[in-house]
Amino acid sequence: MPKLMRKIFIGVKTEVTYGLDPVPTGAVNAFVVHDVEVTPVDGEEVERNNIQPYFGQNGLIQATQFAKVKFKVELGGSGAAGTEPKFGPLLRACACSATLVAVTSCTFAPVTDVIESVTIYANIDGVNQAMRGCRGEAKLSLAAKGKPTIEFEMTGLWQALTDTTLPTPTYTGWQKPVAMNKANVTASLHGTTIACAGFDLMFGNQVVKRDLTEIDTVEITDRKSTGSIVFEATTVAARAWVALAQQKAVGNLSIVNGTVAGNIVTITGTGTVELGKPTYSNSDGVQMINMPLRFVPTAAGNNEWAIVCT
């Protein structure tokens, strides 16, 4: 029988000890995902490259090996303010902290030290790829008339595939996201309210697979967060965007997605958002500004952006 890609289970659970499988289950740890890509084995290969008196390949040696998985989840809240959203474990494995304020908020912010890890199960119709020690990269995307998403690209320790019964997932706690439109979203950049058509935030994590005689880990060794925002052009009097970009001006950003408590996600940069070189584009015959963004932490560090769920 063929293995059906629609019969896929993604389970994610935070590790207490790095690389020790905490065994994600369908009842508790199932993720609502789409656009899934599984790479069951990746890594560096070394060519043997021996001299031989004829043309042809020498073959390769697998020098390092790891597994990767990439997928998107819908960006929404937890259903109750002060509770971590279901995708929280993955954000924490992408070098974030999660700070809870009871019945009020869950705030994700960058960290440099004590980065958590997760085990991910990618079970495709009864064939399971277990990836321990996973850490990775995340990208938030919002587009007008579309749903907000987070794309995760996770790297984990390699483990042999097994024939394992496809778990029955329970998706309790996952919230239905709201589309990016006037009713649901407000946006401001450098203190000016803008008519936003799209926004991206790339964490910019440097994810490396470490392979030494006593080391087999996935590490995040640097972060340079970037992004972009597209909005309707204004008069120079309203905001001199080109001049600000020339000055490499640094200011605030706020994107608020949602209006109902328990399903509101706010992305902020407080005095940390540097403007790049803008370009123009056309949307329905209207001039738009495409502005690259760089998220620059202050001297305090680990504060270039925040994702607040309320």
Side-chain angles (χ1 to χ4, degrees), residues 8 23 26 39 46 63 67 81 87 110 150 153-154 159 163 193-194 201 206 208 232-233 235 237 240 261 306 310:
I8 187 167
V23 189
T39 304
V46 178
F87 51 75
I150 313 175
E153 184 171 359
M154 307 300 294
Q159 189 167 317
D163 292 320
T193 299
I194 56 175
L201 165 62
Q206 182 173 311
V208 297
E232 190 171 305
T235 63
T310 53

Side-chain angles (χ1 to χ4, degrees), residues 26-64:
V28 179
N29 309 115
F31 265 53
V32 177
V33 301
H34 61 283
D35 296 349
V36 182
E37 298 177 18
V38 179
T39 304
V41 61
D42 201 343
E44 299 174 49
E45 299 170 327
V46 178
E47 187 174 358
R48 297 185 65 197
N49 204 29
N50 295 318
I51 295 174
Q52 54 192 21
Y54 44 80
F55 296 153
Q57 293 275 9
N58 263 182
L60 303 171
I61 295 173
Q62 191 76 37
T64 65

Side-chain angles (χ1 to χ4, degrees), residues 239-310:
R239 201 67 174 172
W241 296 111
V242 174
L244 289 172
Q246 287 176 307
Q247 299 161 16
K248 302 301 178 195
V250 178
N252 297 341
L253 167 78
S254 175
I255 308 285
V256 182
N257 188 89
T259 59
V260 178
N263 202 21
I264 302 172
V265 180
T266 303
I267 303 160
T268 64
T270 305
T272 59
V273 182
E274 182 181 275
L275 304 183
K277 295 182 288 187
T279 57
Y280 296 141
S281 61
N282 182 320
S283 174
D284 301 324
V286 176
Q287 182 188 12
M288 308 294 288
I289 295 177
N290 305 274
M291 184 74 75
L293 306 173
R294 284 179 291 275
F295 293 82
V296 183
T298 69
N302 296 313
N303 62 356
E304 56 262 50
W305 46 260
I307 302 165
V308 185
C309 301
T310 53

